[in-house]
Amino acid sequence: MGKLVCASLVIAAIAALLGERIVNLRKRALASRELLQNHLPNCVALKNLDSGSEDITILGDGLAFISTGLKFPGLPASEGPGKIFSLDLQDPRMKPVELRMPRNFDLDSFNPHGISAYTDPTDDTIYLFVVNHPQHKSQVEVFQFVEDNNLLMHVKTIKHELLYSVNDIVAVGVDSFYATNDHYFSHEILKTVEPVLGLSWSNVVYYSPTDVKVVSEGYYFANGINISPDKGHIYVADVFDHNVHVLERKENNSLVSLKSVALGSLCDNIEVDLETGDLWLGCHPNGWKLFMLDPNDPPGSEVIRVQKIHSDQPVVTQVYEDDGRVLIGSSVAAAYGGKLLIGTVYHKALVCDLE
């Protein structure tokens, strides 16, 4: 009888702990937030991007790169391998063009996630860094962009034990970058447990051929990452903490945390306006709906802009919101020339007027 009582008490304690953790997870996921509509003018869907547009990055001349076809555990996915598109934002046709891949690259397992472009100042060569998840593993592909042929030439594949759950990346050289690990564990079951337990163990890694190290940690879910126009600061979005962190770069590429800015949403990728320094973030206003995937109650979308982020009073503004009837699961937003691109994890992409 005593053993039965003890077992019952243990089961009750575990159930209570699990219940408390689920309640806490729902709070972090903003499960009670009601979704509204706050649309921009003249929004139209971009062609050829029906399999998502998880990340977008724009060069100074208005050329955008878009990753599509991400297969992420627990979320809808398209058939076939992922792809990379380019889009000339100075072309009024706004037509994404699929970039050709070299024959020596394993396209069948290509599963692109975060991307970052780097222009070599010595010869203006453009390199595209792509987080790739073949068989749901993590590695970084480096391509050279050949604009005349709409071609990505594969330069190298980068793997490292510290790059085990990579989400996003920002290149700082032809073979160096910062990257976020969105989980501490690499096993899919343990990854599921992490947010339930509320562990703040994810991190940021610096990589170069001669130096690989964890440079920042303590995030609930380190996601989007980007760099300031002057290259002196790194920005990291922590999804489950609803904020963006501002970190100062040191000469040895280590990072020092300066502050965090509250966003009020579960923000994904970060894009930085090269002229103003403004941050544009694609966000999930109700993350619980993204987990549940109820077709009758779809996850919505939100775009947030942060101005004057280095001042004592940064300006955080909601630029776009949808309740899922138009756009599902926004993951990135990027502005150029009065236009705003909004990408999603697995849904379509929009281009809207900002004015």
Side-chain angles (χ1 to χ4, degrees):
M1 189 67 177
K3 292 181 178 180
L4 181 61
V5 171
C6 288
S8 298
L9 291 174
V10 170
I11 293 172
I14 293 174
L17 177 62
L18 182 60
E20 185 270 335
R21 293 297 180 179
I22 294 297
V23 169
N24 187 57
L25 177 60
R26 282 179 54 86
K27 289 181 179 179
R28 290 196 177 278
L30 302 180
S32 61
R33 178 174 171 180
E34 295 295 327
L35 303 186
L36 304 173
Q37 289 190 332
N38 174 26
H39 288 174
L40 289 166
N42 304 319
C43 290
V44 296
L46 291 169
K47 295 180 180 179
N48 305 323
L49 299 179
D50 296 328
S51 299
S53 41
E54 204 282 335
D55 202 7
I56 301 171
T57 190
I58 304 176
L59 300 178
D61 63 359
L63 182 67
F65 294 101
I66 305 169
S67 67
T68 183
L70 173 65
K71 295 171 178 62
F72 197 84
L75 295 178
S78 61
E79 296 182 1
K83 300 175 181 179
I84 302 293
F85 285 79
S86 67
L87 175 65
D88 184 356
L89 288 166
Q90 296 195 45
D91 186 340
R93 294 176 298 174
M94 290 290 171
K95 183 179 179 181
V97 176
E98 181 182 346
L99 298 181
R100 297 187 298 118
M101 294 285 193
R103 293 181 178 179
N104 65 342
F105 181 71
D106 183 9
L107 185 59
D108 290 338
S109 66
F110 189 44
N111 187 13
H113 200 165
I115 60 176
S116 178
Y118 180 80
T119 302
D120 188 343
T122 64
D123 59 9
D124 292 329
T125 300
I126 299 172
Y127 294 92
L128 188 68
F129 291 64
V130 182
V131 177
N132 185 19
H133 301 296
Q135 293 81 46
H136 298 296
K137 298 177 182 179
S138 286
Q139 59 194 49
V140 174
E141 313 293 351
V142 183
F143 298 94
Q144 181 181 330
F145 175 56
V146 183
E147 186 170 6
D148 292 341
N149 299 322
N150 288 321
L151 172 68
L152 288 176
M153 293 177 54
H154 189 240
V155 177
K156 67 172 77 173
T157 296
I158 297 173
K159 301 179 183 179
H160 194 276
E161 60 183 8
L162 290 181
L163 300 171
Y164 52 85
S165 185
V166 183
N167 186 299
D168 197 15
I169 186 170
V170 59
V172 294
V174 296
D175 53 9
S176 58
F177 57 83
Y178 292 92
T180 54
N181 283 310
D182 53 22
H183 290 79
Y184 177 80
F185 298 107
S186 58
H187 193 282
E188 291 302 326
I189 294 179
L190 294 178
K191 282 186 174 183
T192 303
V193 172
E194 272 188 64
V196 175
L197 296 180
L199 303 178
S200 55
W201 291 359
S202 66
N203 59 39
V204 177
V205 172
Y206 171 76
Y207 175 93
S208 76
T210 59
D211 188 19
V212 187
K213 57 190 177 184
V214 174
V215 289
S216 184
E217 53 193 341
Y219 302 92
Y220 288 99
F221 193 110
N223 197 313
I225 186 169
N226 219 314
I227 193 167
S228 60
D230 66 2
K231 314 302 181 187
H233 296 86
I234 295 291
Y235 310 118
V236 178
D238 190 342
V239 170
F240 284 126
D241 214 19
H242 315 146
N243 60 26
V244 59
H245 291 257
V246 180
L247 306 108
E248 183 181 6
R249 288 183 72 193
K250 295 300 183 181
E251 289 186 4
N252 64 353
N253 294 299
S254 63
L255 299 177
V256 175
S257 178
L258 299 181
K259 65 177 178 179
S260 64
V261 178
L263 302 171
S265 189
L266 286 81
C267 291
D268 203 315
N269 290 311
I270 306 169
E271 291 303 310
V272 179
D273 188 307
L274 297 179
E275 294 185 0
T276 66
D278 294 350
L279 274 61
W280 292 87
L281 301 101
C283 307
H284 308 287
N286 185 322
W288 193 256
K289 293 186 178 185
L290 194 64
F291 300 149
M292 297 295 103
L293 292 176
D294 181 354
N296 297 315
D297 189 20
S301 295
E302 186 173 28
V303 173
I304 289 177
R305 179 185 189 181
V306 183
Q307 299 167 282
K308 303 178 181 179
I309 192 166
H310 296 286
S311 70
D312 293 335
Q313 294 183 318
V315 179
V316 178
T317 307
Q318 183 198 75
V319 177
Y320 177 94
E321 183 180 8
D322 183 68
D323 58 7
R325 284 182 285 179
V326 175
L327 198 65
I328 296 174
S330 57
S331 56
V332 63
Y336 183 88
K339 299 286 186 180
L340 181 68
L341 299 180
I342 309 175
T344 64
V345 181
Y346 59 87
H347 197 218
K348 60 188 177 184
L350 295 182
V351 57
C352 305
D353 288 342
L354 279 171
E355 299 175 354

